[in-house]
Amino acid sequence: MKVVFRVDSSLKIGAGHLMRCFALAEEFKNRGFQTCFISENNLPNLQELLVSNGHSVIDISHSNQKKLNTEEDANRTIDYLIDLSAEILILDHYELGNEWQESVKSRLSRLVVIDDIPGRKLVCDILLDQNLGREKDHYLPFLQDKTKLLMGSRFVLARKQFKENRGKALIKRKEFNGLNTILLSLGGSETIKNYIKIIETISEIKTNNSLELRIALGFNGKEIKRNTFDNIQNLKIKFLEDPLKLHESIIDSDLCIGYAGSSSWERCILGLPSLVKAISDNQLFIAKNLERYGAADIWHEHGDLKKLIKMLNNKVKWLERSKAASKICDGEGVRRVADAILE
């Protein structure tokens, strides 16, 4: 049986949609299924990532169009599905709405939609929203009666490296003795100017330990000249060169400063406290729930970072955040989602 994914990546979309589909595709591949991505990938390394891990890729490029033509996309996708004799399609794409879904669904035995934004009509057999605090009532008014719902952080789609290193990470958390290493993970779309502002703010904080800052740029990371931060005092700065090894930096770090996107769940699996900022409405939902459950604190201005970092240099406060984060998701989400799709 073939499992097909319809998902794109770009500087505007980011890599998060494709990476969570990749995590699920790896689970299906390990169960003996053939997997294929119908995708436009405009970020470096992502096409290579899929192919090198045994997933076939069909390029459905829209580069010459100002706006995605959903009718054309649906027709092309259907042609590919017929050629592949595919039975299951997993869609992770905000722009391909209910009309696209209705056209494609009739050609399949099962259409799965991954979504984060309730309020739009959706046509699918299974709906997945992996965000903490998400409930069925948020979607029910917009769905067909027989749609199966997979709601909440039990279904987080994270690569196997996070589950495999969870035990190691949680043991390390018990050894916390003040902040030593901070992970800065804003993705590649952030401006150099804002990176510098945040790094300068961190450099002004005095702790008992000398701070090391690790900068993760992500798959959509722009090239940043390493000497850009040579004038920053009081900080040892390192760059994470390989986004696929992010789990290693999360394990070795004591705190993450980042946005409230899908990487929030990876940090939770490994029990890392976070300072999060929301840059979209769906991220605001994530940020508020992370703070509500005690796993993270929200920052808005650079001044907030100083106060929050000083607060989390306290062992009791830090351990409270770490323990709360580790309870949110356990890394078993891909298994649960695959099981639900195949039921």
Side-chain angles (χ1 to χ4, degrees):
M1 183 184 293
K2 294 185 178 71
V3 179
V4 180
F5 294 82
R6 177 68 190 90
V7 57
D8 292 340
S9 68
S10 67
L11 283 173
K12 179 182 178 182
I13 298 170
H17 295 274
L18 189 138
M19 289 307 296
R20 64 188 180 188
C21 286
F22 171 72
L24 186 54
E26 286 285 278
E27 175 71 15
F28 278 113
K29 185 191 70 176
N30 292 336
R31 296 187 186 204
F33 290 84
Q34 292 181 317
T35 53
C36 178
F37 283 74
I38 300 173
S39 185
E40 178 179 28
N41 296 323
N42 290 324
L43 296 180
N45 305 323
L46 288 182
Q47 191 96 343
E48 181 184 346
L49 170 70
L50 297 176
V51 174
S52 64
N53 282 276
H55 309 288
S56 60
V57 179
I58 296 173
D59 182 16
I60 190 167
S61 177
H62 300 286
S63 299
N64 296 325
Q65 299 180 10
K66 292 183 178 179
K67 186 176 181 181
L68 182 63
N69 185 324
T70 57
E71 183 179 357
E72 178 186 327
D73 191 291
N75 291 334
R76 291 174 66 189
T77 299
I78 289 169
D79 288 341
Y80 293 136
L81 293 173
I82 293 171
D83 290 342
L84 293 166
S85 299
E87 298 180 40
I88 297 173
L89 176 68
I90 298 169
L91 170 69
D92 191 346
H93 204 302
Y94 295 146
E95 293 186 59
L96 301 178
N98 63 290
E99 292 182 359
W100 186 99
Q101 294 159 18
E102 196 157 13
S103 296
V104 174
K105 184 176 180 295
S106 61
R107 310 286 176 164
L108 298 157
S109 63
R110 193 152 297 181
L111 173 62
V112 181
V113 170
I114 302 175
D115 196 61
D116 305 286
I117 310 174
R120 301 164 298 137
K121 182 181 177 183
L122 299 171
V123 180
C124 55
D125 298 292
I126 299 174
L127 174 66
L128 164 64
D129 186 327
Q130 63 178 10
N131 291 321
L132 177 68
R134 187 62 72 205
E135 298 176 0
K136 293 181 178 181
D137 288 348
H138 295 156
Y139 281 100
L140 284 177
F142 311 102
L143 296 172
Q144 298 171 320
D145 291 340
K146 295 182 180 180
T147 304
K148 180 191 292 186
L149 283 81
L150 308 178
M151 300 283 110
S153 56
R154 289 185 70 251
F155 300 103
V156 161
L157 301 176
R159 292 182 294 118
K160 64 180 181 180
Q161 287 82 0
F162 293 92
K163 179 184 71 173
E164 291 171 349
N165 286 280
R166 177 173 164 83
K168 174 184 175 181
L170 297 187
I171 290 172
K172 186 179 183 298
R173 302 301 176 216
K174 297 176 182 179
E175 301 169 358
F176 177 79
N177 193 27
L179 296 175
N180 289 286
T181 305
I182 294 176
L183 176 63
L184 182 59
S185 181
L186 304 178
S189 58
E190 190 50 82
T191 64
I192 302 298
K193 183 178 179 181
N194 204 32
Y195 267 106
I196 292 173
K197 282 183 180 179
I198 294 171
I199 292 169
E200 286 177 341
T201 299
I202 297 170
S203 73
E204 295 169 2
I205 299 169
K206 291 183 172 63
T207 66
N208 294 331
N209 305 317
S210 58
L211 285 176
E212 177 178 295
L213 183 66
R214 298 188 180 186
I215 301 177
L217 299 176
F219 285 100
N220 53 336
K222 57 178 71 66
E223 280 298 315
I224 290 182
K225 293 180 180 178
R226 300 311 190 239
N227 61 6
T228 302
F229 309 113
D230 282 353
N231 294 327
I232 304 292
Q233 302 296 316
N234 306 321
L235 276 180
K236 181 180 180 181
I237 295 177
K238 287 186 176 182
F239 287 85
L240 175 60
E241 304 290 348
D242 186 354
L244 290 175
K245 294 184 178 179
L246 179 62
H247 61 282
E248 295 178 0
S249 287
I250 293 177
I251 293 170
D252 292 337
S253 298
D254 303 305
L255 179 68
C256 181
I257 298 172
Y259 294 142
S262 57
S263 58
S264 300
W265 314 126
E266 297 169 346
R267 301 192 291 262
C268 285
I269 292 169
L270 300 179
L272 182 64
S274 298
L275 305 180
V276 296
K277 184 176 184 178
I279 56 173
S280 62
D281 289 342
N282 59 320
Q283 284 195 10
L284 183 60
F285 179 84
I286 294 172
K288 286 182 175 179
N289 278 288
L290 284 169
E291 189 171 65
R292 176 188 167 201
Y293 281 84
D297 295 273
I298 297 173
W299 65 280
H300 302 281
E301 308 295 335
H302 295 104
D304 299 336
L305 289 176
K306 282 188 180 181
K307 296 175 185 176
L308 292 170
I309 290 172
K310 288 178 180 178
M311 183 266 289
L312 286 174
N313 199 36
N314 175 278
K315 186 170 185 176
V316 174
K317 292 287 187 184
W318 187 92
L319 287 172
E320 286 176 356
R321 299 295 190 280
S322 177
K323 186 176 181 180
S326 69
K327 289 182 177 180
I328 286 173
C329 46
D330 58 8
E332 296 285 349
V334 287
R335 174 184 59 79
R336 296 186 183 107
V337 172
D339 287 345
I341 293 172
L342 297 174
E343 280 180 356

